[in-house]
């Protein structure tokens, strides 16, 4: 990460599609990554207190998320990126409210759905394609590769937790996810739609990421025990108003 | 301003929309995929005609433009486009609509029966379309690319129906989000069974629904 040329943030640099492209967009996206990871750390810490039998592992998850935030901050410093905290806080506010509510209600399972499935699905859907452009931001590839591996590790545990927790109780699991999805998908899916154009500006397809998010989450629900079509039905239904809002905004800003 | 005022009027409007889709399907199948044209569809068209609202009524509603634009893009000119657009996509859309109508407590007995007939006919043709697409012998990557090429325009127009469906069919408890969920679940499942890679398929569908 040392001795590498910083990203060119001069106005003309945006045209070359290289490290300087969409500097403000990069600041926002990296802000969301940094503060999103810190929110994830907080959430896993909440979860560790609600289930002491899993406390050690969940504190380890929290520490990993905190490390991701540090790495991303380091990569930002090395590349002249200023993670946009205000943007991140605006996007994360709705999620934080839900996390606080579930935590106050000692509702571990809802936290697991929100953080372990929905939020992690967003992280994976955006970190994976970022690796295609990571070399424009020297030092970031190592950070995002490791973070991606660790998000997938977290998801793997959450899946196993739910398979055991709701073994032979699929209806209860369906009811849980449907309850959490109403706000969880609205929140995280809404963020996905809000950052889709930012992703486009830095060279990642925002709509591809949205598709990946939907597929990631539906697949996780299926792997945790929900019948495939039921999972797809629920996820698509909840994404429909978000897709509509995205299209309306696209139509409104079209030349 | 719409002249649709009672629940029966709304049901008649629904049948008018479906009649337009079914009539196009029959023309397309006859021209490009005769194996998919059959008596069940012809019987359905006849049944829909007896219960459908006059065409001029559709012209007064919010459905007019999105329906006509979607239909204009569904009139492909070759067998593969017809199999995929009509046989897979629009038959699954029709099935989702008929199923939702069949489940609604707000329709008459005759309308429930019609919805049931429509659902059965849609699934019958859809199964034959699936078999025909399977016989094309294309590998999964080729197939999803062909599918996106053939159907992308129609799927993109599908999203335009949302507001109109919600506005015009709310009194029957039909929502676009529910329809899209049901349609997507069945279509994706079917396309995966045909060998299309799931991620590529879902990303392609999402892109189209988001307007690309």
């Amino acid at each position: 990460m040392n001795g590498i040329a910083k990203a060119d943030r001069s106005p003309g640099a945006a045209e070359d599609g290289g490290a300087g492209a969409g500097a403000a967009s990069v600041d926002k996206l990296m802000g969301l990554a940094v503060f999103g990871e810190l929110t994830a750390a907080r959430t896993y810490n909440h979860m560790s207190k609600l289930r002491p039998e899993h406390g050690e592992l969940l504190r380890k998850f929290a520490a990993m998320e905190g490390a991701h935030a540090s790495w991303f901050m380091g990569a930002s410093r090395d590349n002249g990126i200023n993670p946009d905290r205000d943007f991140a806080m605006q996007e994360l506010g709705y999620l934080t409210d839900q996390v606080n509510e579930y935590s106050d209600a000692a509702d571990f399972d809802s936290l697991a759905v929100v953080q372990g499935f929905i939020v992690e699905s967003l992280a994976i859907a955006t970190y994976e394609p970022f690796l295609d452009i990571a070399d424009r931001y020297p030092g970031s590839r190592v950070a995002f590769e490791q973070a991606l591996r660790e998000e997938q590790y977290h998801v793997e545990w959450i899946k196993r937790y739910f398979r055991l927790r709701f073994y032979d109780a699929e209806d209860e699991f369906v009811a849980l996810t449907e309850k959490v999805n109403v706000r969880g998908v609205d929140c995280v899916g809404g963020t996905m739609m809000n950052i889709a154009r930012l992703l486009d500006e830095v060279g990642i397809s925002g709509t591809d990421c949205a598709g990946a998010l939907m597929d990631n989450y539906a697949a996780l629900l299926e792997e945790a025990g929900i019948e495939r079509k039921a999972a797809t039905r629920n996820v698509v239904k909840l994404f429909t108003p978000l897709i509509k809002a995205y299209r309306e905004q696209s139509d409104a800003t079209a030349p | 301003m719409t002249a649709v005022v009672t629940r029966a009027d709304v049901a008649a409007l629904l049948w008018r929309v479906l009649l337009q889709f079914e009539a196009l399907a029959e023309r397309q199948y006859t021209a490009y995929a005769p194996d998919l044209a059959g008596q069940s569809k012809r019987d359905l068209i006849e049944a829909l005609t007896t219960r459908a609202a006059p065409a001029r009524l559709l012209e007064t509603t919010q459905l007019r433009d999105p329906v006509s634009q979607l239909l204009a893009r569904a009139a492909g000119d070759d067998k593969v486009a017809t199999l995929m657009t009509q046989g897979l996509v629009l038959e699954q859309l029709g099935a989702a609509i008929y199923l939702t109508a069949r489940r609604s407590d707000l329709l008459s007995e005759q309308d429930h029966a019609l919805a049931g007939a429509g659902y059965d006919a849609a699934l019958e043709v859809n199964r034959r379309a699936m078999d025909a697409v399977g016989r094309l012998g294309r590998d999964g990557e080729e197939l999803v690319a062909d599918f996106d090429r053939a159907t992308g325009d129609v799927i993109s127009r599908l999203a335009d129906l949302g507001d109109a469906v919600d506005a015009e069919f709310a009194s029957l408890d039909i929502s676009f989000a529910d329809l899209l969920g049901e349609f997507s679940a069945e279509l994706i499942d079917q396309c995966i069974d045909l060998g299309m890679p799931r991620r590529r398929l879902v990303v392609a569908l999402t892109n189209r629904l988001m307007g690309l």
Side-chain angles (χ1 to χ4, degrees):
Chain A
M1 289 193 187
N2 295 322
I4 309 268
K6 291 195 184 334
D8 184 349
R9 296 171 65 81
S10 55
E15 292 168 4
D16 65 7
S25 298
V26 174
D27 289 348
K28 286 180 174 152
L29 290 168
M30 195 61 93
L32 191 58
V34 168
F35 293 99
E37 294 288 354
L38 290 174
T39 302
R42 194 166 155 268
T43 306
Y44 281 126
N45 267 326
H46 281 310
M47 290 168 71
S48 75
K49 291 169 190 160
L50 293 175
R51 287 283 194 280
E53 68 271 32
H54 302 306
E56 191 180 330
L57 183 69
L58 290 165
R59 282 190 295 276
K60 176 179 164 184
F61 286 7
M64 290 161 100
E65 302 288 15
H68 300 168
S70 297
W71 302 338
F72 296 164
M73 280 300 295
S76 297
R77 261 194 313 273
D78 290 347
N79 288 281
I81 297 169
N82 301 311
D84 188 332
R85 185 177 188 279
D86 289 341
F87 173 78
M89 291 298 110
Q90 187 184 298
E91 285 300 324
L92 293 167
Y94 187 12
L95 173 65
T96 305
D97 288 346
Q98 286 172 59
V99 168
N100 287 342
E101 219 176 279
Y102 292 138
S103 182
D104 290 346
D107 187 348
F108 180 90
D109 290 342
S110 294
L111 284 171
V113 173
V114 168
Q115 172 56 42
F117 272 8
I118 304 176
V119 171
E120 298 286 17
S121 290
L122 173 64
I124 292 167
T126 47
Y127 294 177
E128 269 178 344
F130 177 79
L131 295 178
D132 292 339
I133 63 162
D135 293 334
R136 291 189 210 152
Y137 309 98
S140 67
R141 172 175 295 284
V142 170
F144 276 87
E145 273 176 348
Q146 183 68 11
L148 181 58
R149 271 194 294 274
E150 290 179 359
E151 307 305 5
Q152 287 163 337
Y153 170 67
H154 300 160
V155 163
E156 204 46 48
W157 185 81
I158 297 284
K159 261 193 299 186
R160 292 180 197 197
Y161 167 78
F162 278 132
R163 286 195 76 92
L164 274 176
R165 166 79 175 84
F166 292 100
Y167 185 76
D168 209 24
E170 187 194 298
D171 289 350
E172 276 181 56
F173 186 46
V174 168
L176 168 71
T177 56
E178 288 184 352
K179 179 200 81 171
V180 175
N181 280 350
V182 174
R183 288 190 301 161
V185 170
D186 186 42
C187 165
V188 176
T191 291
M192 180 71 254
M193 296 303 169
N194 289 343
I195 67 172
R197 287 182 193 83
L198 301 179
L199 291 163
D200 288 342
E201 284 171 22
V202 303
I204 298 170
S205 165
T207 50
D208 279 5
C209 288
L213 166 58
M214 289 172 63
D215 190 45
N216 283 345
Y217 185 38
L220 287 175
L221 292 175
E222 189 186 340
E223 288 164 38
I226 293 180
E227 187 261 331
R228 180 202 283 173
K229 288 187 202 176
T232 305
R233 199 175 289 125
N234 188 248
V235 171
V236 169
K237 176 181 166 178
L238 292 169
F239 266 90
T240 299
L242 303 173
I243 290 171
K244 173 176 177 275
Y246 177 88
R247 282 182 72 120
E248 284 170 356
Q249 196 177 33
S250 294
D251 291 344
T253 55
Chain B
M1 181 184 275
T2 180
V4 175
V5 290
T6 67
R7 211 171 274 158
D9 292 334
V10 176
L13 177 63
L14 180 67
W15 303 138
R16 170 51 59 181
V17 170
L18 284 162
L19 177 57
Q20 295 206 328
F21 278 93
E22 297 292 359
L24 174 64
E26 181 66 11
R27 288 195 297 275
Q28 291 294 110
Y29 295 147
T30 302
Y32 303 109
D35 287 350
L36 268 58
Q39 195 57 46
S40 60
K41 279 290 189 181
R42 286 190 283 275
D43 290 345
L44 177 62
I45 287 171
E46 194 177 316
L48 283 167
T49 304
T50 66
R51 295 194 70 75
R56 65 180 179 278
L57 185 63
L58 178 59
E59 297 297 305
T60 69
T61 70
Q62 293 183 41
L63 291 158
R64 183 191 67 186
D65 289 346
V67 166
S68 68
Q69 284 166 19
L70 201 161
L71 289 172
R73 280 152 184 79
D77 59 3
D78 66 58
K79 180 177 180 178
V80 173
T82 298
L83 286 178
M84 291 185 173
T85 303
Q86 291 291 342
L88 295 185
V89 172
L90 292 180
E91 292 299 346
Q92 283 291 3
L93 177 65
I97 297 171
Y98 289 124
L99 182 64
T100 304
R102 196 173 74 174
R103 285 175 177 161
S104 170
D105 291 333
L106 302 168
L107 289 179
S108 69
E109 204 176 300
Q110 296 99 313
D111 286 328
H112 273 132
L114 182 51
Y119 180 70
D120 291 342
L123 285 197
E124 180 203 320
V125 174
N126 173 255
R127 268 194 295 272
R128 283 192 264 133
M130 192 174 164
D131 289 343
V133 171
R135 285 194 298 272
L136 294 174
R138 295 180 191 178
D139 78 27
E141 292 288 344
E142 266 183 308
L143 203 52
V144 72
D146 289 342
F147 179 80
D148 186 47
R149 233 180 339 262
T151 68
D153 225 5
V154 164
I155 290 173
S156 182
R157 287 292 158 184
L158 198 57
D160 291 336
L161 279 176
D163 282 346
V165 165
D166 287 341
E168 301 292 348
F169 299 125
S171 62
L172 297 183
D173 270 349
I174 292 175
S175 89
F176 183 69
D178 283 335
L179 288 179
L180 196 63
E182 177 67 30
F183 158 78
S184 301
E186 295 293 336
L187 181 67
I188 289 170
D189 200 60
Q190 185 166 63
C191 289
I192 290 171
D193 286 346
L194 281 168
M196 296 188 209
R198 174 181 172 150
R199 172 56 58 92
R200 282 215 47 208
L201 171 66
V202 174
V203 166
L205 290 172
T206 307
N207 270 279
R208 294 298 188 171
L209 289 170
M210 287 175 74
L212 291 192

